[in-house]
Amino acid sequence: MKNVLASIGIGNASVDTVLPTAAVRPGDTVDAEVHIEGGKVEQEVGTVRFEIETRYLTDDGYREVDLSRFTLAEGLTIQPGQSEVREVSFEIPYDTPVTVGGVKVWLETELDISLAVDPEDKDYLDVRPTPRLQAVFDAMDDLGFSLKSAECEADPHGRYTSGRRFVQEFEYRATGGEFRGTLDEVELVANPGPDALDLFVEVDRRGGLLSELSGTDETKTRARIETTDRASVRQQLEELLRKHV
């Protein structure tokens, strides 16, 4: 009877991943502990699996996606009442979105147990921007822009990157400074890496109805951010935006 109950999750083994902090940045290496507790019966664990996940918006609603997945252990036998702690290190991928607005990122730990409900643990992450992306955010603030939205959206045609199904788009409105009244909005898509950040920029100028209908009020361009200095990034973005006013 205990085996039957465990197969539907009653008296099953459990797993809990303990993180030193929920705050992470893309490119970070995180050290954590995985606590496994045996249930009422002996159980064979095929794998202890990790997945870093998020969700992105499609025409049909939100879809979940794995940013990274890896295996900690294979072929474990967990005895009734057994407690086991395993240490694990994993990297936060550079394409992990920043958790602003409604964007969510989480680490899911799962015990793969044959013929039973797989025990799992979900830990939400507070993903902060990389230093270069933070410099971009600060520079946009200095230039009089306010963040309107930051959504993960499907990119089925790979307009910005290859091999990724979605991008995170930051939409800014000009609420002050020299660009207020001349630019409607600026949309940014960041592609960070260890040595630089590629920034895709769409500038929406304030124009008349004809220009909006024809699409001539929008310009797409890009910049490569190699510094974390706020003033330097501000100057770089200011010069770029002035070309498209």
Side-chain angles (χ1 to χ4, degrees):
M1 178 58 71
K2 289 182 179 179
N3 288 325
V4 173
L5 291 174
S7 70
I8 59 174
I10 300 174
N12 208 356
S14 63
V15 62
D16 179 32
T17 296
V18 180
L19 301 170
T21 175
V24 298
R25 282 188 173 88
D28 281 356
T29 297
V30 178
D31 297 322
E33 289 185 346
V34 181
H35 296 243
I36 303 172
E37 297 288 337
K40 300 293 186 181
V41 296
E42 178 185 291
Q43 290 182 294
E44 299 292 332
V45 179
T47 58
V48 182
R49 243 188 346 260
F50 291 87
E51 297 171 356
I52 299 176
E53 301 184 7
T54 189
R55 64 176 191 169
Y56 63 92
L57 188 62
T58 72
D59 292 337
D60 301 319
Y62 283 100
R63 178 176 300 174
E64 294 186 358
V65 61
D66 295 342
L67 300 169
S68 176
R69 58 190 308 168
F70 56 97
T71 299
L72 170 62
E74 295 180 304
L76 293 180
T77 300
I78 302 298
Q79 301 295 333
Q82 177 184 350
S83 294
E84 183 166 335
V85 178
R86 297 251 177 153
E87 295 183 351
V88 61
S89 294
F90 58 92
E91 291 187 0
I92 305 298
Y94 274 102
D95 59 355
T96 303
V98 179
T99 50
V100 295
V103 175
K104 298 182 185 299
V105 177
W106 61 92
L107 172 68
E108 191 164 284
T109 312
E110 185 174 274
L111 304 182
D112 180 17
I113 299 177
S114 180
L115 303 177
V117 175
D118 290 339
E120 60 183 36
D121 175 49
K122 180 182 285 189
D123 296 277
Y124 283 94
L125 302 176
D126 176 15
V127 184
R128 310 287 178 84
T130 64
R132 292 186 184 90
L133 184 55
Q134 184 62 59
V136 170
F137 290 162
D138 293 339
M140 292 296 286
D141 288 341
D142 292 344
L143 292 171
F145 289 90
S146 297
L147 183 64
K148 180 185 176 184
S149 66
E151 183 67 90
C152 291
E153 300 179 356
D155 182 28
H157 305 297
R159 292 178 299 164
Y160 300 104
T161 58
S162 60
R164 281 174 51 188
R165 288 172 281 178
F166 76 96
V167 294
Q168 185 173 21
E169 184 177 272
F170 303 96
E171 184 177 319
Y172 280 89
R173 286 288 177 90
T175 56
E178 69 172 281
F179 298 106
R180 182 181 181 184
T182 57
L183 297 181
D184 267 346
E185 60 185 32
V186 174
E187 297 175 358
L188 305 178
V189 172
N191 186 19
D195 303 315
L197 181 148
D198 290 321
L199 193 66
F200 300 88
V201 184
E202 182 174 311
V203 182
D204 188 355
R205 295 183 299 276
R206 180 160 294 181
L209 179 61
L210 289 178
S211 61
E212 291 183 4
L213 291 175
S214 63
T216 56
D217 61 328
E218 295 179 355
T219 302
K220 293 181 174 65
T221 184
R222 62 187 298 176
R224 186 171 178 84
I225 308 297
E226 297 181 335
T227 179
T228 61
D229 181 68
R230 178 174 184 160
S232 298
V233 175
R234 169 183 171 156
Q235 181 179 357
Q236 185 177 354
L237 293 180
E238 188 174 32
E239 292 174 354
L240 181 147
L241 293 175
R242 281 176 177 168
K243 293 178 181 178
H244 301 285
V245 171

